[in-house]
């Protein structure tokens, strides 16, 4: 009797929970967050979720809100800074309570955007003014907009590279490796810092994709073939990382690296190079100032590969901001996104590329302009499919695990060969591609 | 005639008490459950409901955030048992298992020594127990610096003239041994306190009698202390084995499972939160629960929970 009662209660509880869980499936769909006509009349309190805990703590976000209120006096903006943004917001996406404005977590399937977010308009109208609209377009409607553009590249110490006798950016992997060796032999600095222990910096190497062959269809190629085939961009990038470590050009003990300390160490010339992105430049410059070093020593260079004698840089969105479909103040939320994207100066404050198509590059990228680096934006039509294959295969091209394994392989902590390793990845990817219906 | 009749009459009998009202009886039976209401509510809400939820998810293909999920029957379990590489991580648990043997032996030693009259006994009790009080995540961060290239451990070794360039977390064997060592440091105090408490509950007369009969310390330990604390010893072994199978915080914080340090729980967390396979991860968690229960059952069969009788 007790057993039967318990099981019945458990079954009932489970059924209720599952029903509750699937309840959001019936939520509204296809709503729009329209831009307000008259700024003075928009009202309401909106909550903005952000991962920039530093900006919320030091009051910068409040300054943005104050500037916003000069145009929209009746909107009250509150911020919630989340240290572990992805995990926390993912859980909140199971409710209606995920702020009014939020950055779209990576875990949300693109096809689900219309379920969670209100549309900002059609791709046709928004693409004229903004970059990156493809990344958040579902069925012709746009569901998010990034306030900045970012580009992967090497953050390096100019003084150290000069001291090693290097006068121009390397144009091939072989040349890059030779340069790192020169740094090691002539300066004593750690030529390349993997930041293995911090994990997330290693995922940056996936953003090599597109830079090697100047190919806007690089993402589509991931969805259609073996990302590690001979000559493929990811193979080129992973092989370079492997060779750096195998030749002893990386830090001695990758397993106890320190990301925060590495900024100051690069500024001071103890570390020569890290593959990160434009988003990191301002952080390294700040570290340089604190260390009493000239911020101008912080340099930025593209991946060492050229097509027709030209370097290539891939510009992509950072987190895309979106309006919660359940928000009671969609107009105010839309106003914030538009203002923050167009007028806040957030892109300039972060030395980032503007999301506006007609805006100039940040001054920090003048060396790119001088060198004639070609900037491209990848076609993200197949982006959702790539993520699906990635999860299904458990390779994790956007996760740290596989490249940590690659570094372990290169330094002898793991058995096997590079070809075998990349072949395994390709095999898993291919199987997952077929399983997910390609 | 009348007098005779009166004398033989039965003496008056006191009335039997009336039976208690029904409501009172019912109320008395309910009282214990009223006291248990709060703990039961907490237990059910934070343990049994999540477990039921987990079991339910293990039969779905949910990704952890999509509004839709589909029931896939036993598909997740079938996948688990057709992917042997998912169980290879239990070899990593072997390090923690070996470490727990060291941990129990050390704890037993300290508990025995400190149960006799020793100077500064209370001080050493505090020192040994303190690590257990520290938050697991904080311990992970502290030991990350400890094992760093040129960190605390290297510095201390250098004081003794041993200059090493060994990367403590650099190879699977070295990393797992280091992490298991951290685990010993953290949990030794718990074992120690359990053993000490059990040892102190043994009557002092037994030691006096044994000493009169000429038994030395080792003999007292072997014939009085070990039998006396057998239930606690058994419990500790069971907890250690379960803990080894489910090791998580220390390897997760310090290495994230890199360099061959991934445990079953870390693998499960990655399946759920990195590859968004909540259904498969739930099935893995259910399987781990069953493994732990099976191991515990086997241990109980091997070492029955009999009463201690020293007298």
């Amino acid at each position: 009797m007790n057993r039967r009662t318990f099981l019945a209660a458990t079954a009932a509880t489970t059924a209720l929970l599952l029903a509750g869980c699937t309840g959001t499936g019936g939520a509204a769909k296809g709503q729009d967050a329209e831009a307000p006509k008259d700024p003075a009349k928009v009202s309401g309190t909106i909550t903005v979720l952000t991962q920039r805990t530093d900006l919320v703590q030091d009051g910068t976000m409040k300054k943005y809100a104050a500037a916003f209120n000069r145009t929209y006096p009746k909107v009250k903006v509150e911020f919630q800074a989340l240290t572990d943004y992805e995990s926390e917001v993912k859980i909140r996406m199971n409710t209606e309570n995920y702020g009014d404005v939020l950055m779209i977590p990576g875990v949300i399937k693109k096809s689900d955007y219309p379920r969670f977010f209100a549309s900002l308009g059609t791709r046709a109208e928004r693409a004229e003014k903004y970059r990156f609209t493809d990344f958040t377009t579902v069925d012709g409607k746009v569901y998010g907009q990034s306030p900045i553009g970012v580009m992967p590249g090497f953050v390096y110490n100019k003084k150290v590279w000069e001291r090693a006798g290097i006068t121009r950016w390397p144009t091939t992997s072989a040349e890059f490796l030779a340069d790192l060796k020169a740094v090691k032999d002539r300066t004593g600095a750690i030529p390349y810092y993997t930041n293995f222990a911090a994990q997330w910096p290693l995922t940056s190497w996936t953003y090599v994709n597109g830079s090697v062959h100047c190919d806007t269809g690089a993402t589509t190629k991931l969805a259609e073939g073996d990302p590690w085939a001979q000559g493929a961009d990811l193979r080129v990038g992973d092989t370079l990382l492997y060779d750096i470590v195998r030749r002893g050009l990386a830090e001695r003990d990758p397993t106890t690296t320190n990301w925060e300390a590495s900024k100051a160490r690069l500024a001071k010339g103890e570390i020569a190079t890290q593959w990160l992105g434009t988003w990191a430049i301002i952080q390294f410059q700040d570290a340089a100032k604190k260390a009493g070093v000239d911020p101008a020593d912080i340099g930025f260079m593209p991946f060492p590969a050229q097509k027709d004698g030209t370097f290539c840089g891939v510009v992509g969105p950072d987190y895309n901001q979106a309006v919660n479909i359940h928000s009671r103040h969609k107009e105010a939320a839309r106003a914030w996104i538009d203002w923050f994207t167009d007028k806040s100066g957030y892109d300039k404050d972060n030395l980032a590329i503007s999301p506006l198509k007609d805006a100039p590059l940040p001054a920090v990228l003048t060396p790119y302009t001088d060198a004639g680096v070609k900037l491209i934006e990848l076609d993200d039509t197949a982006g959702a499919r790539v993520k699906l294959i990635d999860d299904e295969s458990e390779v994790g091209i956007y996760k740290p695990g596989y490249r940590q394994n690659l570094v372990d392989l290169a330094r002898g902590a793991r058995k096997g060969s590079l070809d075998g390793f990349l072949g395994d990845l390709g095999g898993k990817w291919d199987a997952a591609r077929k399983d997910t219906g390609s | 005639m009348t007098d005779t009749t009166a004398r033989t009459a039965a003496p008056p009998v006191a009335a039997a008490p009336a039976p208690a009202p029904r409501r009172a009886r019912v109320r008395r039976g309910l009282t214990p459950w009223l006291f248990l209401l709060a703990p039961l509510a907490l237990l059910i809400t934070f343990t049994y409901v999540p477990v039921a939820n987990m079991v339910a998810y293990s039969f779905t293909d949910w990704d952890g955030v999509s509004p839709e999920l589909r029931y896939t029957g036993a598909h997740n379990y079938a996948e688990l048992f057709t992917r042997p590489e998912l169980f290879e991580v239990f070899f990593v648990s072997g390090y923690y298992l070996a470490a727990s043997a060291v941990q129990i032996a050390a704890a037993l030693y300290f508990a025995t020594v400190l149960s006799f009259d020793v100077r500064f006994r209370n001080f050493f009790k505090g020192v040994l127990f303190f690590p257990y009080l520290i938050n697991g995540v904080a311990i992970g961060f502290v030991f990350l610096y400890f094992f760093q290239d040129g960190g605390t451990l290297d510095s201390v070794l250098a004081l003794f003239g041993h200059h090493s360039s060994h990367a403590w977390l650099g190879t699977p064997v070295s990393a797992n041994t280091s992490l298991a060592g951290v685990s010993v440091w953290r949990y030794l105090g718990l074992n120690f306190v359990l053993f000490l408490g059990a040892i102190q509950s043994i009557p002092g007369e037994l030691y006096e009698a044994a000493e009169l009969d000429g038994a030395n310390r080792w003999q007292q330990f072997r014939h009085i202390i070990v039998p006396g604390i057998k239930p606690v010893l058994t419990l500790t072994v069971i907890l250690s084995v379960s803990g080894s199978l489910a090791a998580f915080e220390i390897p997760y914080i310090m290495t994230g499972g890199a360099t061959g340090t991934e445990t079953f729980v870390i693998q499960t967390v990655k399946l759920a939160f990195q590859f968004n396979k909540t259904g498969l991860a739930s099935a893995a968690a259910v399987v781990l629960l069953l493994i732990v229960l099976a191991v515990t059952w086997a241990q109980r069969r091997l070492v029955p929970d009999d009463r201690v009788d020293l007298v």
Side-chain angles (χ1 to χ4, degrees), chain B residues 122-144:
Chain B
N122 289 331
F123 170 74
F124 284 117
K125 279 190 205 173
V127 167
L128 285 166
F129 188 63
F130 177 72
Y132 182 68
L133 299 176
I134 306 175
N135 173 267
V137 172
I139 289 175
F141 284 126
V142 166
F143 276 90
L144 209 45

Side-chain angles (χ1 to χ4, degrees), chain A residues 196 199 255 404, chain B residues 144 169 175 179 250-258 261:
Chain A
F196 180 101
Q199 298 175 45
T255 60
Q404 283 185 308
Chain B
L144 209 45
L169 304 178
L179 295 174
I250 285 166
Y252 190 68
I253 293 296
M254 292 184 60
T255 61
T261 61

Side-chain angles (χ1 to χ4, degrees), chain A residues 109 112 252 392 394 411, chain B residues 63 66 71 83 149 170 277:
Chain A
K109 289 192 175 86
D112 282 338
R252 186 169 70 177
E392 178 61 24
E394 291 167 27
R411 62 192 185 84
Chain B
D63 68 358
S66 275
Y71 290 93
R83 290 178 60 184
D149 189 30
K277 298 184 172 182

Side-chain angles (χ1 to χ4, degrees), chain A residues 117-289:
Chain A
F117 313 115
S119 141
L120 302 176
T122 67
R123 183 195 179 286
E125 63 197 25
R126 290 188 65 87
E128 280 180 30
K129 183 177 182 184
Y130 297 108
R131 307 180 200 252
F132 320 130
T133 48
D134 276 346
F135 289 81
T136 53
T137 296
V138 180
D139 296 330
K141 287 193 167 183
V142 178
Y143 290 91
Q145 176 64 51
S146 177
I148 57 174
V150 291
M151 176 164 53
F154 288 104
V155 177
Y156 70 106
N157 185 303
K158 289 179 190 169
K159 284 273 170 52
V160 170
W161 276 60
E162 282 165 12
R163 228 187 312 144
I166 303 158
T167 57
R168 64 185 191 122
W169 293 337
T171 60
T172 64
S173 292
E175 193 179 339
F176 186 82
L177 290 164
D179 289 348
L180 290 189
K181 188 167 191 310
V183 165
K184 179 176 184 180
D185 292 344
R186 300 176 194 169
T187 72
I190 297 171
Y192 184 81
Y193 201 71
T194 65
N195 257 307
F196 180 101
Q199 298 175 45
W200 59 265
L202 283 171
T203 63
S204 301
W205 282 86
T206 286
Y207 299 106
V208 165
N209 199 45
S211 298
V212 180
H213 293 99
C214 225
D215 181 8
T216 58
T219 301
T220 304
K221 283 199 166 72
L222 297 183
E224 292 173 353
D226 178 0
W228 299 275
Q230 286 294 338
D233 288 14
L234 283 194
R235 186 181 190 107
V236 173
D238 286 348
T239 301
L240 177 57
L241 176 58
Y242 175 90
D243 285 336
I244 289 170
V245 177
R246 193 173 59 83
R247 300 184 188 193
L249 301 172
E251 68 272 70
R252 186 169 70 177
D253 181 9
T255 60
T256 57
T257 54
N258 186 318
W259 155 249
E260 286 300 324
S262 75
K263 299 178 201 173
R265 294 180 70 194
L266 188 140
K268 290 186 285 190
E270 295 167 22
I271 291 168
T273 322
Q274 296 191 44
W275 171 259
L276 298 165
T278 50
W279 57 268
I281 299 171
I282 188 171
Q283 294 187 40
F284 280 70
Q285 288 187 350
D286 286 348
K289 287 170 197 160

Side-chain angles (χ1 to χ4, degrees), chain B residues 34-294:
Chain B
L34 290 179
F35 279 103
L36 287 170
L37 204 57
L40 277 182
L42 289 171
L43 181 67
I44 290 171
T45 301
F46 294 109
T47 300
Y48 289 108
V49 167
V51 168
N53 227 17
M54 177 181 84
V55 173
Y57 289 147
S58 73
F59 295 106
T60 71
D61 68 347
W62 197 39
D63 68 358
V65 70
S66 275
E68 300 158 338
L69 81 177
R70 294 173 302 175
Y71 290 93
T72 53
H75 180 266
N76 287 326
Y77 292 96
E79 180 166 347
L80 269 182
F81 291 114
T82 54
R83 290 178 60 184
E85 75 268 13
L86 294 179
F87 292 91
E88 283 169 13
V89 291
F90 279 120
F91 288 119
V92 173
S93 295
Y95 287 93
Y96 295 94
L97 207 51
S100 65
V102 171
Q103 178 177 310
I104 290 172
L108 202 49
Y109 172 81
F110 286 125
T112 301
V113 168
L114 292 182
S115 69
F116 299 122
D117 265 330
V118 173
R119 279 197 198 175
F120 306 119
R121 191 165 98 171
N122 289 331
F123 170 74
F124 284 117
K125 279 190 205 173
V127 167
L128 285 166
F129 188 63
F130 177 72
Y132 182 68
L133 299 176
I134 306 175
N135 173 267
V137 172
I139 289 175
F141 284 126
V142 166
F143 276 90
L144 209 45
Y145 282 98
F146 184 79
F147 289 119
Q148 211 162 60
D149 189 30
T152 313
L153 182 50
D154 287 344
S155 301
V156 171
L157 290 177
L159 286 183
F160 294 100
H162 180 68
H163 295 274
S164 158
S165 63
H166 184 68
W168 302 103
L169 304 178
T171 64
V173 170
S174 181
N176 280 313
T177 303
S178 302
L179 295 174
V182 175
S183 192
V184 168
W185 183 82
R186 181 183 178 201
Y187 289 107
L188 180 71
L190 173 64
N191 289 167
F192 163 76
V193 161
L194 287 174
F195 289 151
L196 187 62
I199 290 173
Q200 287 180 332
S201 70
I202 297 174
E205 306 90 66
L206 297 185
Y207 297 110
E208 292 164 13
E211 223 164 311
L212 285 178
D213 288 343
N216 59 25
R217 288 295 198 213
W218 164 249
Q219 285 163 331
Q220 289 177 45
F221 171 78
R222 184 174 162 212
H223 295 290
I224 297 175
I225 292 178
V226 170
I229 67 170
K230 186 182 172 190
V232 170
L233 194 48
T234 304
L235 172 68
T236 302
V237 170
I238 288 174
L239 291 177
S240 296
V241 173
S242 304
S244 302
L245 293 172
F248 177 68
E249 300 107 293
I250 285 166
Y252 190 68
I253 293 296
M254 292 184 60
T255 61
T259 318
T261 61
E262 187 166 85
T263 62
F264 193 84
V265 178
I266 291 176
Q267 177 179 261
T268 300
V269 167
K270 284 185 177 178
L271 284 174
F273 298 108
Q274 287 193 8
F275 302 118
N276 304 311
K277 298 184 172 182
T278 301
L280 183 61
S282 297
V286 170
V287 167
L288 179 62
L289 175 62
L290 294 175
I291 290 172
V292 169
L293 290 177

